Amino acid sequence: MYSTDQQVLGVACRWAAAGHRFALVTVARTWGSAPRPAGALLALRHDGVVEGSVSGGCVEDDLIGRMRAGALGAQAPFCIVYGVTKDEATRFGLPCGGTLELVVEPAPEVAQLGRLQARLALRHLAARRVDLATGAVTLEDALRDDALQWDGSCLTTIHGPQWRLLVIGAGHVSRYLAQMALALDYEIIVCEPRDAYGPGWDVPGTRLLTSMPDDTVTALAPDARTAVVALTHDPKLDDLALLEALGSPAFYVGALGSRVANLRRRERLVQHFDLTQAQVDRMHGPVGIPIGSKTPPEIAVSILAELTAVRNGMRTAPIRDGVISQ
C-alpha cells in the first residue's frame, strides 16, 4: 500500500464519524500506460468530495458525476472498466490507450476500515479481500512478499510497509533520509550503537536499535525488499554492516563517503575480509545519485532517488568512483 493511500483511509474514517456516506474505489488492474498503479485508492463522498486518486484526471470527474446522480448507490461491491476503446481512453485522459479496472465499494464497513487503520498505525502488514460475488470483505495478516491479486471476482490488496530500509547511524543525514523514506512506504530501522547519537533519535514511525551493525544486519536477515545504507562515516561501523549486507539478497547496499574513501573501502573489503570482488561491486558508493548535493536534506534526496531507481528496475548497476558500473 502507498503512504498517500493510508491518508485516504484516515479521511474516509473521519467522514464516517461526521455522518457522511462514501464509496471506496480501488485500482484493481491496469493495461498500457496508466497514471496510478494497481492498489491505489480513492474515497468519494456522497456530495462529490474526493480524497486520493485513481487516474488524476477525468475518471475522477466521471465517478463524481455518477455519485451525484445516484449511480453508485448499490450496496454490493462492483467493477467499472475505463478506456476499453481508444476513444474512451482519450476521453478519460488515459495516456497511450491505457485501461483502468476499478473495484467500487459503495458502502464499506467503517469499523473494519478503523481496524485496518489501527494495524497500519502499528506498521503491521494486512491483506484486505473484497469478494464481489458475495459482498464479503475480510481482513487478515499478510507477508511482505504477498502481492495484490485480482481475478475479476475477488480483489486482495496488501496494506502496510512491504519494503525495509536499514540505516546505519543516527546522524543528521539519517534523520532526513528516514523522514523522507517513510513517505515512500519503507519500514525504517536505524542502527546506532554510539552513546552520543542514539539518545537524540526521535523520528516517529522508525525503530532504533543499539546493537552493533553486523549483528543488526544478521538479525534482520535482509531479503530482496531490504535496503542497507551506511551513513556513520566511521569505517569501524560502516564496514561491519557492509560485510554482512553485501553477501545478502538486499536489493540495495550503499555507503556514504567520498570517491577516495569508497575506493579504499572496496580495496579493504576484498583484501582483508571474506568478500568477493563481485559482492563488493554491488556496493553503491558514493551513495546516491550525483546531483551536486551538499546539505543533509539534499544528500537524503540523492540517496532516495537512487533507491527509487533501483527499486523500480531503472538502475541496477552501482556507481563506482563516480561512474556507473557495467
Side-chain angles (χ1 to χ4, degrees), residues 14 21 24 53 71 81 110 115 134 137-138 154 156 158 173 179 185 214 220 233-234 236 245 247 251 259 296-297 303:
R14 290 196 292 273
R21 293 181 293 103
L24 193 64
S53 65
V81 180
V110 176
R115 292 193 294 272
T134 65
V137 181
T138 58
C154 292
T156 301
I158 308 302
V173 174
Q179 291 170 340
D185 312 299
D214 52 342
L220 190 65
H233 273 301
D234 184 345
K236 296 190 298 294
F251 79 91
R259 296 179 185 179
I303 295 171

Side-chain angles (χ1 to χ4, degrees), residues 167-171 174 191-194 197 213 229-239 256 265:
V167 181
I168 309 300
S174 300
C191 170
E192 182 51 88
R194 300 171 296 181
Y197 291 88
V229 179
L231 300 178
T232 71
H233 273 301
D234 184 345
K236 296 190 298 294
L237 296 177
D238 288 346
D239 286 5
L256 192 65
R265 175 181 283 120

Side-chain angles (χ1 to χ4, degrees), residues 42-309:
L42 168 75
L44 176 57
R45 210 165 70 182
H46 63 87
D47 56 359
V49 176
V50 299
E51 179 71 24
S53 65
V54 291
S55 79
C58 296
V59 169
E60 282 83 357
D61 293 340
D62 184 70
L63 290 169
I64 291 169
R66 293 185 186 218
M67 174 64 87
R68 288 175 173 168
L72 301 183
Q75 293 300 307
F78 60 94
C79 180
I80 302 178
V81 180
Y82 288 92
V84 175
T85 66
K86 183 177 180 180
D87 289 343
E88 189 177 65
T90 301
R91 173 191 169 198
F92 290 113
L94 302 176
C96 304
T99 303
L100 284 177
E101 195 166 349
L102 307 178
V103 168
V104 180
E105 299 173 64
E109 183 186 343
V110 176
Q112 188 193 75
L113 294 182
R115 292 193 294 272
L116 177 57
Q117 278 286 97
R119 291 193 183 203
L120 295 179
L122 296 173
R123 303 193 66 75
H124 291 172
L125 272 171
R128 186 171 183 266
R129 186 171 186 268
V130 181
D131 189 330
L132 271 63
T134 65
V137 181
T138 58
L139 191 64
E140 56 189 31
D141 293 335
L143 301 175
R144 290 193 326 114
D145 290 333
D146 289 342
L148 180 145
Q149 297 181 26
W150 168 242
D151 61 6
S153 178
C154 292
L155 173 66
T156 301
T157 50
I158 308 302
H159 304 262
Q162 291 181 273
W163 298 84
R164 293 185 296 179
L165 172 58
L166 172 61
V167 181
I168 309 300
H172 210 180
V173 174
S174 300
R175 178 176 298 276
Y176 284 102
L177 179 61
Q179 291 170 340
M180 295 178 187
L182 284 170
L184 294 180
D185 312 299
Y186 284 95
E187 175 188 359
I188 310 298
I189 303 103
V190 177
C191 170
E192 182 51 88
R194 300 171 296 181
D195 294 339
Y197 291 88
W201 184 263
D202 59 355
V203 179
T206 66
R207 181 156 52 107
L208 178 68
L209 302 177
T210 57
S211 50
M212 292 300 290
D214 52 342
D215 294 331
T216 302
V217 176
T218 300
L220 190 65
D223 56 18
R225 290 178 178 266
T226 303
V228 180
V229 179
L231 300 178
T232 71
H233 273 301
D234 184 345
K236 296 190 298 294
L237 296 177
D238 288 346
D239 286 5
L240 287 175
L242 296 171
L243 275 171
E244 300 299 330
L246 289 170
S248 77
F251 79 91
Y252 182 97
V253 180
L256 192 65
S258 67
R259 296 179 185 179
V260 173
N262 273 285
L263 177 60
R264 291 174 178 169
R265 175 181 283 120
R266 294 176 193 280
E267 294 172 347
R268 189 166 62 245
L269 291 173
V270 171
Q271 294 174 4
H272 301 293
F273 300 100
D274 190 23
L275 287 178
T276 67
Q277 186 64 55
Q279 289 174 322
V280 173
D281 285 347
R282 294 185 59 226
M283 184 178 71
H284 294 258
V287 68
I289 291 176
I291 58 174
S293 52
K294 300 294 183 182
T295 66
E298 289 176 344
I299 295 171
V301 168
S302 168
I303 295 171
L304 278 177
E306 188 170 53
L307 271 172
T308 303

